[in-house]
Amino acid sequence: MKTLVAKNILLLAVGGAGAVVASGCGSSIDDCTMTRTCAIVAGAGGSAGAGKGGSAGTAAMAGKSGAGSGDGATGGIGEGEGTAGAGGDGDPNSEDAGTGGAASGGCIDEKGQAQSGTTETACGADGKACAACAAGLVCKAGSCVCTPDSCADGCCSKDGKCESAAAAHCGTAGAECVECGDGLSCDEKTGKCVCDATSCPDGCCSSDGECLRETNAHCGPVGGSCGSCDDGQRCNAGTGICVCDATSCPTGCCDGDGRCVGDASESNTQCGAGGGACTACSAGQACSASGTCVCTPESCDGWCYGDTCEPFEKLATNQPTFPATRGIALRNSEIYWTSSSSSDAAADKYRLQRIAGSGVETLVSNQAHTLGPVLIGAERLFVLNTDTGFLESMKPTDNLLSSDQANVAGLRYRSGRIYWSTSVVNRFKELHIKSQNETDSSDVVDEFSTVIDSAAEVGDIAFASGLVAYGVNMPGTSGAAGSYGIWLATPDHPQVFPARSGHLEQVECDADSNYYWRASASASSGASLMMENDGASGPTAIAPNLDITDFTLVQPATGAALVYYAYTDSGRQTSGFRLYDTASSKTYDVVTGPRVGSLTADKTYLYFFEETGHRLVRTPLPHVVFGLGK
């Protein structure tokens, strides 16, 4: 650049782009003379440089810069709404012009050109340098901004950037970015923070979309929906499933849906303990307080063997009153019995019924209330009237009883003949054992007779090894209690054992000539059940301290006899029947609760009346269940 040294010459530093040498000068500053005044004119939108000695110009063509002083040329002052141009470099000898000012709101690009500042490639304002907007931004008012239109596939961050969907900045359609919390990821399609198996591998997702660590309050599969576990459940952290087990349900059981059924809520259909599976108790069982299915007299319409209920088979109902002993007779599959249709034991409503097929058949009805023990022979049915002592009989196909014998005490049937005990008073009182042909009441044989005390009572009879054993009740003297004895009906009529104090009610004898009898302290008191081996020195009390109301013997094919006996325990106010094993002297409780009577057995079943249900029932022989003699 040439140095201008002439005095009184005014020089202008070049201001805006396109400045030219003023009129009267040459084509350039080089042509200016020492004696002429030259001016450099600012271009449009700019202002002349404020270099020493310069003045504003108006030409539209570019010129060189005005001469600078020692500080160099400076930018021109803007005219109107233009902005000041940038200054030249600081070299006083530089020929570089200052850049021209930009138009209102514009920017200067990298080539020094003025731009509108409204495009994404050149965005700016106030004459500042233009900037290129990043992807997803648009230029507005000289600034790069993020808008829904410019950032349709992402979100706008707080610092104005368009961000792709990610957990750190999640959103879509230019919405404001949000940062997803722990355990959440950003759904690229919806732009929402979501909880799923990828983002929440160690927990479950709440209804609010939070990733929560597994607890009983919020439990679910990995990244799945959380739910709360019910009382008695716990969350299995490995599976995210609410489970019922010994830990969560220690005092109850777990039902099929995995819920805990507490001990207070258990029932016969849902019973268990220690978090085990609930089970339904079998018929006749009840769920105990400890969560086990047990058999009780209340739960079992039958009898309990351990925790198993052996149910009664109901044969007949409406049996409110029945004989205490020997009121049932069996022949093959036929069952015969006497009972009353009235709960009033003194009512003359007794009847004779049978089951010989599918149902109950009433043979005779409205009989005297003293109709008692019944026997069935090969062709006829025999019934004893315990009040009148008459022995009555009929064919099973008839409907009318006929009187056969009078003053009958004990009664037995064997081989087509009926045996009975009776007394006859001639000069002395005589005891007779007689028999009658089953089909001919006139065919009577006096099997045995002996003289007894005039005040003695003829008692029960039993078969003992082919012989007839008979009992006699003898009165006491001088206010003393009476006594009883058992003899054999043979010519020498030996006494089986010495007379004992009390009153004989019933006597039986097994195949081994062991005697069993039921005797009371008096005719009106409760009876005890006794047993004595033939020739033994003393009896055995089978059931002491109980009132024995009936008993029957069962003789297994092998082994010793078994005794079933009905009882009433006045002390404990209970009733039922038990089994006594003569071989082991062990007693088994069979039925506890209802009063029973007329125990009768065949080779398969035990038959009896049951007072509570007013029923005639049967059950498989309990001793077989107990594993005793077959």
Side-chain angles (χ1 to χ4, degrees):
M1 182 174 184
K2 292 183 179 182
T3 303
L4 302 181
V5 295
K7 296 181 181 180
N8 301 322
I9 296 178
L10 176 64
L11 296 179
L12 298 177
V14 177
V20 297
V21 180
S23 175
C25 291
S27 61
S28 68
I29 284 182
D30 293 293
D31 295 325
C32 289
T33 66
M34 310 265 301
T35 60
R36 302 175 65 182
T37 300
C38 297
I40 304 301
V41 182
S47 60
K52 186 176 180 181
S55 63
T58 58
M61 297 301 293
K64 292 185 179 181
S65 62
S69 65
D71 294 331
T74 60
I77 299 173
E79 296 180 350
E81 295 181 355
T83 59
D89 60 33
D91 184 356
N93 298 314
S94 175
E95 294 183 356
D96 293 335
T99 57
S104 174
C107 63
I108 304 302
D109 66 16
E110 61 184 0
K111 294 180 180 181
Q113 301 294 316
Q115 301 294 332
S116 64
T118 59
T119 66
E120 281 69 47
T121 58
C123 183
D126 298 330
K128 295 179 181 179
C130 296
C133 295
L137 304 184
V138 66
C139 186
K140 283 191 174 184
S143 297
C144 293
V145 295
C146 182
T147 69
D149 291 331
S150 67
C151 191
D153 296 328
C155 63
C156 298
S157 67
K158 291 181 179 180
D159 57 0
K161 295 180 181 179
C162 177
E163 301 283 5
S164 298
H169 31 74
C170 186
T172 190
E176 182 179 355
C177 293
V178 296
E179 183 177 359
C180 297
D182 291 341
L184 303 181
S185 63
C186 186
D187 186 323
E188 295 182 0
K189 294 182 178 179
T190 64
K192 294 182 179 180
C193 294
V194 295
C195 178
D196 56 25
T198 301
S199 65
C200 189
D202 298 320
C204 61
C205 302
S206 73
S207 58
D208 295 330
E210 294 180 276
C211 176
L212 301 176
R213 185 174 296 277
E214 304 281 8
T215 66
N216 291 352
H218 31 77
C219 183
V222 172
S225 297
C226 293
S228 60
C229 297
D230 294 335
D231 290 342
Q233 291 182 321
R234 67 176 182 87
C235 187
N236 185 319
T239 63
I241 297 175
C242 293
V243 297
C244 175
D245 57 19
T247 300
S248 64
C249 186
T251 61
C253 64
C254 302
D255 68 13
D257 295 326
R259 293 189 297 266
C260 175
V261 180
D263 52 0
S265 301
E266 291 189 342
S267 65
N268 293 348
T269 57
Q270 291 183 319
C271 186
C278 294
T279 59
C281 296
S282 301
Q285 290 184 319
C287 188
S288 70
S290 62
T292 56
C293 292
V294 296
C295 182
T296 68
E298 294 75 23
S299 67
C300 179
D301 185 18
W303 58 280
C304 298
Y305 176 54
D307 289 330
T308 301
C309 174
E310 297 288 344
F312 293 148
E313 180 184 351
K314 180 180 66 179
L315 299 175
T317 58
N318 190 26
Q319 311 290 318
T321 308
F322 48 83
T325 183
R326 296 177 184 163
I328 301 171
L330 307 173
R331 183 179 68 177
N332 299 324
S333 61
E334 299 174 348
I335 309 166
Y336 296 84
W337 69 92
T338 58
S339 68
S340 174
S341 60
S342 172
S343 58
D344 180 3
D348 292 334
K349 293 291 185 179
Y350 268 73
R351 62 216 167 161
L352 183 58
Q353 295 179 291
R354 74 169 180 177
I355 295 175
S358 59
V360 176
E361 180 182 359
T362 299
L363 302 179
V364 294
S365 58
N366 299 322
Q367 299 296 299
H369 67 273
T370 51
L371 201 64
V374 59
L375 292 174
I376 181 69
E379 298 186 42
R380 293 184 71 82
L381 189 64
F382 296 87
V383 183
L384 179 63
N385 187 315
T386 56
D387 185 29
T388 64
F390 280 111
L391 177 61
E392 301 176 276
S393 71
M394 60 180 285
K395 289 183 178 181
T397 55
D398 291 344
N399 57 11
L400 181 65
L401 286 168
S402 61
S403 296
D404 288 1
Q405 307 296 335
N407 197 27
V408 174
L411 183 68
R412 298 285 173 164
Y413 175 84
R414 184 174 66 184
S415 302
R417 299 189 71 84
I418 294 294
Y419 292 76
W420 72 94
S421 58
T422 186
S423 61
V424 177
V425 178
N426 291 317
R427 183 177 178 183
F428 302 100
K429 189 172 187 178
E430 298 175 352
L431 178 146
H432 290 261
I433 303 297
K434 296 185 177 183
S435 70
Q436 165 197 313
N437 186 298
E438 177 182 358
T439 59
D440 183 359
S441 60
S442 64
D443 180 4
V444 176
V445 174
D446 197 346
E447 303 283 352
F448 170 80
S449 66
T450 187
V451 175
I452 59 174
D453 188 279
S454 61
E457 297 177 359
V458 177
D460 197 15
I461 62 173
F463 294 120
S465 300
L467 303 175
V468 177
Y470 63 91
V472 176
N473 287 306
M474 295 163 287
T477 58
S478 302
S483 61
Y484 65 90
I486 299 176
W487 287 263
L488 289 176
T490 61
D492 56 348
H493 58 91
Q495 190 169 6
V496 175
F497 49 77
R500 293 190 173 89
S501 176
H503 190 273
L504 183 68
E505 307 287 348
Q506 182 182 354
V507 63
E508 300 284 354
C509 191
D510 67 19
D512 297 323
S513 298
N514 298 311
Y515 290 85
Y516 306 81
W517 67 95
R518 186 167 57 92
S520 56
S522 66
S524 59
S525 63
S528 297
L529 180 58
M530 311 295 290
M531 168 190 172
E532 184 166 352
N533 296 328
D534 188 18
S537 59
T540 298
I542 292 177
N545 305 318
L546 293 174
D547 179 12
I548 308 303
T549 56
D550 183 33
F551 75 95
T552 190
L553 298 182
V554 174
Q555 187 70 59
T558 59
L562 301 166
V563 185
Y564 289 96
Y565 62 90
Y567 71 92
T568 296
D569 186 343
S570 57
R572 293 189 297 171
Q573 297 183 341
T574 60
S575 301
F577 74 84
R578 294 173 176 170
L579 168 65
Y580 178 78
D581 179 15
T582 61
S584 64
S585 300
K586 184 176 179 180
T587 298
Y588 299 82
D589 267 312
V590 183
V591 171
T592 301
R595 187 177 74 89
V596 302
S598 293
L599 295 166
T600 307
D602 60 15
K603 294 181 179 180
T604 306
Y605 295 101
L606 182 68
Y607 301 77
F608 52 91
F609 293 106
E610 186 265 302
E611 184 179 54
T612 303
H614 297 170
R615 302 175 298 177
L616 171 65
V617 300
R618 71 180 181 184
T619 184
L621 289 169
H623 68 266
V624 176
V625 177
F626 291 137
L628 302 177
K630 304 297 184 181

